[in-house]
Amino acid sequence: MTSDDILSDRVDGPVIEANEVRRRYAGGFEAVSGISFSVARGELFALLGTNGAGKTSTVELLEGLAPPTDGTVRVLGHDPYRERAAVRPRTGVMLQEGGFPSDLTVMETVRMWSACTTGARPAGEALEMVGLTHRAGVRVKQLSGGEKRRLDLALALTSRPEVLFLDEPTTGLDAEGRQETWELVRALRDNGTTVLLTTHYLEEAEALADRLAIMHQGRIVTTGTIAEVTARQPARIRFVLPEAVPASRLPLSLRAAAEGSRVEIRTPALQESLHELLEWARESGVRLHGLDARSASLEEAFLDIAKTQHAPRDQDPRQVHDRSGRSGGTKTAKNSKKVTA
């Protein structure tokens, strides 16, 4: 595909679009149960979820590795499975594990990958982007886990992708490496690359995502910006009262929970509740030790979803039951291997 073809094929609407998508495996297990979302050009969208939520199954559909059982998937305006030739040259995919030939050097690996990529960026440029230039002559088997993740990212960037799929991009990286990767991903997004991120690091999603969706048991249970998702959870105020002041003296409207002199208030209206608390403390002449007031974090929102929507595995609505009513688990009919949702 030439540059003129790409310009003529440019998508004005969402770059990634999933509409009522379902994915059912052999044996009937439905890993993805009718989800819909879209990602705009130049947006970084994080797909999060509890274990077995269906994230991997969803991303595989977007990458064109399998067709949906029902619903439609579009990437850059095309069906990524049936129109793979139109989509693949314009996307980059960073898998959880690259599986490189261990005896090749880093530079040889990138050059081999670039030889299979239309319009690939120079191998040296790709390595410089991920900070691996100084390891170009090292064999892949001698790289640390974090360096292998950087190599994964370098290969995903060789095609100068319009759409970049990142699956756990900073696993194995130290704190400095993680920050450097975040800066690179932000720069790619700022230059117009659309990014779909899956990660178990909630602080990573919080630091990078423009919007996100959280999946649970095959469905999207919440979506929006970080601020929108966390705003659905109560803020909290914590402090310690002087020993001579019992928690029962606090205004009843604050609905405080106390354990000894330690007090926690959960509230949907942080500013108003904090103002009321401080007014009470001033009028009562009470000093609040260790006062800490903050909005809910993404971690708190995520844990609340995991807790409030948790069902035992044998009650998962996606499970297949035999005639006796017993759960069939998550095994395929063909080879009885567990399905990774």
Side-chain angles (χ1 to χ4, degrees):
M1 181 177 287
T2 68
S3 58
D4 289 339
D5 292 330
I6 291 175
L7 288 173
S8 65
D9 204 26
R10 189 176 180 87
V11 179
D12 293 327
V15 171
I16 299 174
E17 207 168 4
N19 184 33
E20 291 297 320
V21 171
R22 295 178 181 274
R23 186 177 184 184
R24 198 172 298 118
Y25 288 89
F29 177 76
E30 188 172 74
V32 182
S33 303
I35 67 170
S36 299
F37 65 92
S38 63
V39 185
R41 183 173 295 278
E43 184 176 35
L44 197 153
F45 188 87
L47 189 62
L48 310 177
T50 52
N51 289 333
K55 302 185 301 298
T56 299
S57 293
T58 299
V59 173
E60 287 176 353
L61 299 179
L62 299 175
E63 293 170 349
L65 299 180
T69 306
D70 290 304
T72 59
V73 173
R74 294 291 181 270
V75 176
L76 295 163
H78 298 279
D79 182 322
Y81 182 76
R82 294 179 175 82
E83 300 175 272
R84 184 174 177 81
V87 176
R88 187 65 189 92
R90 302 166 65 186
T91 61
V93 178
M94 181 181 181
L95 302 174
Q96 286 191 37
E97 295 183 11
F100 312 118
S102 61
D103 287 326
L104 292 182
T105 67
V106 169
M107 180 61 79
E108 289 169 343
T109 301
V110 179
R111 284 176 175 165
M112 178 187 68
W113 191 266
S114 297
C116 303
T117 304
T118 304
R121 69 173 81 240
E125 179 184 332
L127 291 179
E128 184 179 1
M129 292 176 72
V130 301
L132 276 182
T133 303
H134 66 295
R135 303 287 277 170
V138 175
R139 295 185 187 278
V140 170
K141 63 184 177 184
Q142 295 174 311
L143 297 178
S144 68
E147 288 173 333
K148 288 180 180 178
R149 293 307 285 151
R150 293 188 188 211
L151 181 55
D152 286 329
L153 181 55
L155 298 188
L157 297 177
T158 55
S159 63
R160 310 177 193 270
E162 294 177 61
V163 179
L164 181 61
F165 295 98
L166 298 178
D167 192 356
E168 304 289 346
T170 61
T171 299
L173 296 183
D174 59 21
E176 182 181 9
R178 184 171 298 173
Q179 288 292 334
E180 291 173 350
T181 299
W182 289 0
E183 290 175 11
L184 174 57
V185 172
R186 289 191 189 103
L188 291 166
R189 178 201 56 194
D190 292 345
N191 286 326
T193 302
T194 304
V195 182
L196 189 136
L197 167 73
T198 58
T199 180
H200 281 95
Y201 297 118
L202 296 180
E203 70 273 20
E204 184 160 270
E206 212 159 10
L208 295 176
D210 298 307
R211 290 189 305 122
L212 61 86
I214 299 178
M215 293 185 68
H216 181 67
Q217 292 186 343
R219 300 181 182 276
I220 290 177
V221 295
T222 189
T223 187
T225 64
I226 302 292
E228 289 168 344
V229 170
T230 56
R232 294 165 194 156
Q233 302 297 318
R236 63 169 175 79
I237 304 170
R238 290 176 178 167
F239 54 91
V240 178
L241 287 169
E243 291 185 6
V245 181
S248 59
R249 284 183 54 186
L250 289 165
L252 292 176
S253 59
L254 293 177
R255 298 185 178 182
E259 185 175 339
S261 59
R262 297 182 179 275
V263 179
E264 179 173 290
I265 297 169
R266 291 194 170 268
T267 173
L270 178 58
Q271 183 172 328
E272 292 82 353
S273 297
L274 184 59
H275 177 75
E276 183 179 359
L277 174 65
L278 293 176
E279 279 292 300
W280 170 83
R282 183 183 62 81
E283 293 172 359
S284 304
V286 174
R287 185 173 184 82
L288 306 176
H289 300 285
L291 179 62
D292 179 32
R294 64 183 65 192
S295 300
S297 66
L298 180 58
E299 180 178 7
E300 288 171 317
F302 184 89
L303 292 175
D304 182 71
I305 288 170
K307 179 177 66 176
T308 59
Q309 304 208 29
H310 175 73
R313 190 169 182 82
D314 61 0
Q315 295 178 25
D316 187 332
R318 301 173 297 168
Q319 294 292 332
V320 181
H321 296 271
D322 61 23
R323 291 183 180 179
S324 68
R326 293 176 299 181
S327 170
T330 57
K331 295 183 179 180
T332 63
K334 292 182 180 179
N335 54 21
S336 295
K337 291 183 179 179
K338 290 184 178 179
V339 172
T340 301

